[in-house]
Amino acid sequence: MASSNINKDFACDDNAPEIIVTPQPAQECAVSDFDELCLAEDVYACAFVLASNATPGMYNFDPVSNPQMRLLWFYLSFISFSQSFALIALTVIAPPVVESVTLFVNCDNTTSEVFLRAASGLGFQDTDRCILELGLPVLEAQISGHLVQYRSATLDTLFYDNTLAGSCTLTTLQIVCCIWVMTHSYFRDFQHVQSLLQYRDFSRWFLPRKGEVLRKNSWVLLIPAMQWVLSTAIVSVSWCLIAGYSDPVDVVLNSMAFTFINEVAETFAEPVLTYYSKTAIAGLNPDDYGTEDILYIVTDYDEANAAYGDAGWYVRMDEAKAGLITDLCVRHQPDKYAKPNQRLIRLFRVLFFAAPPSFLTLCYMNTTGSMQYAPILSAMAACSITLHVQAHE
């Protein structure tokens, strides 16, 4: 329960602004009247919390002026770079070859089907260019009294040239695996991004009520935006790759591999969270914050953190008031404060479900050279977006 010096009209929200009202009977409230918002224990969440809570009187998030932030910036940079590089490598630098065909080409017969197929795949148009591209002959044969030389040409089919080109059974498996990846990413990665934006709204409401001066640090939204961009890109690339493979084993294994790429931020979280949960903020003014060490982040619930009562930031598990349970988990009443980032959440959700089928449609059009099934894919995307948006309104 809130302390007795709190206006009873806000017993369920002891951080509400002071308003002169007609006295009313005290309102009893319980912990069940509050919601709990918990962030994922990953590097993105740690960075976002520390960046959001950085205030002029406590610490600076800049790694140059605050050396204690350098470890976090290193891990955040490495994770975002490694995920981005993996996607670029798979799509641009070394796109996977899903099929290879070896042809034996007679460069003197420029009208044969084999020559035309090799010419289309390797980009030569005449005999001289064919000989230059394919090199020395690998086979010679006497045909009608003439010596015919054959050269070897290997044609590789990249994943985006083989989209949904298999049998009905393979296509069904590909669609199932695509749904696996998107569902896994939505209920993990997108929910993590959504929690960060909800935490942002809570933090901007909560800090001033604890005497902290808010910084104009809207740039911290780049952290959840970066996580959203990468998770959406990972799902989109996975759809295109899964739809391009011809071997069922490759289809299933790739769906599993991409779920791991999305979990890299959680894999590297332990050393970051351990360091900042044991590191005290340096240079605090003892007149404002006392002489006891204040850690950068509290990851485990400890009732002793709530010893400061209404003046403190933390609440006990049995207290019916808004506050921090840990720095990654808060107790709040969402209807008690403004939530400007809800629009951004809705936009991110729509784009999250629109991007994978859109890129898959482009790959399919590249494979077939037509838009035969593009309307069907687009309709599937539109239905998926509509259902999920309505479910979260």
Side-chain angles (χ1 to χ4, degrees), residues 318-368:
D318 59 349
E319 283 187 299
K321 67 176 184 178
L324 305 180
I325 299 174
T326 70
D327 284 333
L328 298 177
C329 195
V330 303
R331 176 171 293 157
H332 68 140
Q333 290 179 303
D335 58 338
K336 297 296 184 180
Y337 57 88
K339 295 179 284 296
N341 286 307
Q342 285 300 311
R343 290 184 178 180
L344 187 58
I345 292 173
R346 287 194 289 268
L347 175 62
F348 279 179
R349 182 180 294 115
V350 169
L351 295 178
F352 178 85
F353 285 103
S358 298
F359 282 102
L360 181 60
T361 299
L362 292 176
C363 289
Y364 182 80
M365 292 169 57
N366 178 71
T367 299
T368 62

Side-chain angles (χ1 to χ4, degrees), residues 235-258:
V235 175
S236 300
V237 172
S238 73
W239 273 41
C240 294
L241 276 171
I242 289 171
Y245 276 99
S246 301
D247 188 340
V249 176
D250 290 334
V251 170
V252 175
L253 291 181
N254 271 275
S255 67
M256 298 172 62
F258 277 96

Side-chain angles (χ1 to χ4, degrees), residues 36-72:
E36 290 186 4
L37 172 63
C38 295
L39 305 182
E41 293 189 357
D42 61 22
V43 175
Y44 289 114
C46 181
F48 187 76
V49 169
L50 293 180
S52 298
N53 291 344
T55 57
M58 293 193 72
Y59 63 88
N60 198 316
F61 192 68
D62 180 11
V64 177
S65 59
N66 184 1
Q68 291 179 316
M69 289 288 107
R70 292 173 184 172
L71 178 70
L72 178 60

Side-chain angles (χ1 to χ4, degrees), residues 106-117 125 127:
N106 177 7
C107 290
D108 294 322
N109 187 358
T110 58
T111 60
S112 68
E113 181 180 349
V114 174
F115 180 93
L116 294 175
R117 183 178 177 185
Q125 297 179 350
T127 298

Side-chain angles (χ1 to χ4, degrees), residues 7 10 19 33 39 47-48 60 66 110 137-138 176-177 186 225 242 272 278 291 302 372:
N7 192 315
F10 296 97
I19 302 175
D33 296 323
L39 305 182
F48 187 76
N60 198 316
N66 184 1
T110 58
V138 296
V176 168
C177 289
Y186 178 74
I242 289 171
V272 176
K278 295 181 179 180
T291 57
D302 186 351
Q372 181 180 1

Side-chain angles (χ1 to χ4, degrees), residues 204-333:
R204 301 297 283 182
W205 168 83
F206 184 70
L207 287 179
R209 284 158 176 77
K210 296 304 176 181
E212 295 295 338
V213 178
L214 292 178
R215 285 185 176 182
K216 295 181 179 179
N217 60 351
S218 297
W219 62 267
V220 301
L221 294 175
L222 292 174
I223 297 174
M226 177 173 60
Q227 186 178 14
W228 170 81
V229 168
L230 288 171
S231 62
T232 304
I234 289 171
V235 175
S236 300
V237 172
S238 73
W239 273 41
C240 294
L241 276 171
I242 289 171
Y245 276 99
S246 301
D247 188 340
V249 176
D250 290 334
V251 170
V252 175
L253 291 181
N254 271 275
S255 67
M256 298 172 62
F258 277 96
T259 58
F260 170 77
I261 295 176
N262 253 334
E263 295 175 359
V264 170
E266 295 177 61
T267 305
F268 287 91
E270 184 175 353
V272 176
L273 292 173
T274 300
Y275 174 78
Y276 287 101
S277 64
K278 295 181 179 180
T279 301
I281 302 174
L284 289 177
N285 187 340
D287 295 333
D288 296 331
Y289 297 98
T291 57
E292 294 185 11
D293 288 341
I294 297 180
L295 304 177
Y296 271 103
I297 192 169
V298 175
T299 57
D300 298 320
Y301 171 73
D302 186 351
E303 190 170 308
N305 292 327
Y308 295 98
D310 295 324
W313 291 24
Y314 297 90
V315 297
R316 297 193 306 271
M317 293 297 293
D318 59 349
E319 283 187 299
K321 67 176 184 178
L324 305 180
I325 299 174
T326 70
D327 284 333
L328 298 177
C329 195
V330 303
R331 176 171 293 157
H332 68 140
Q333 290 179 303

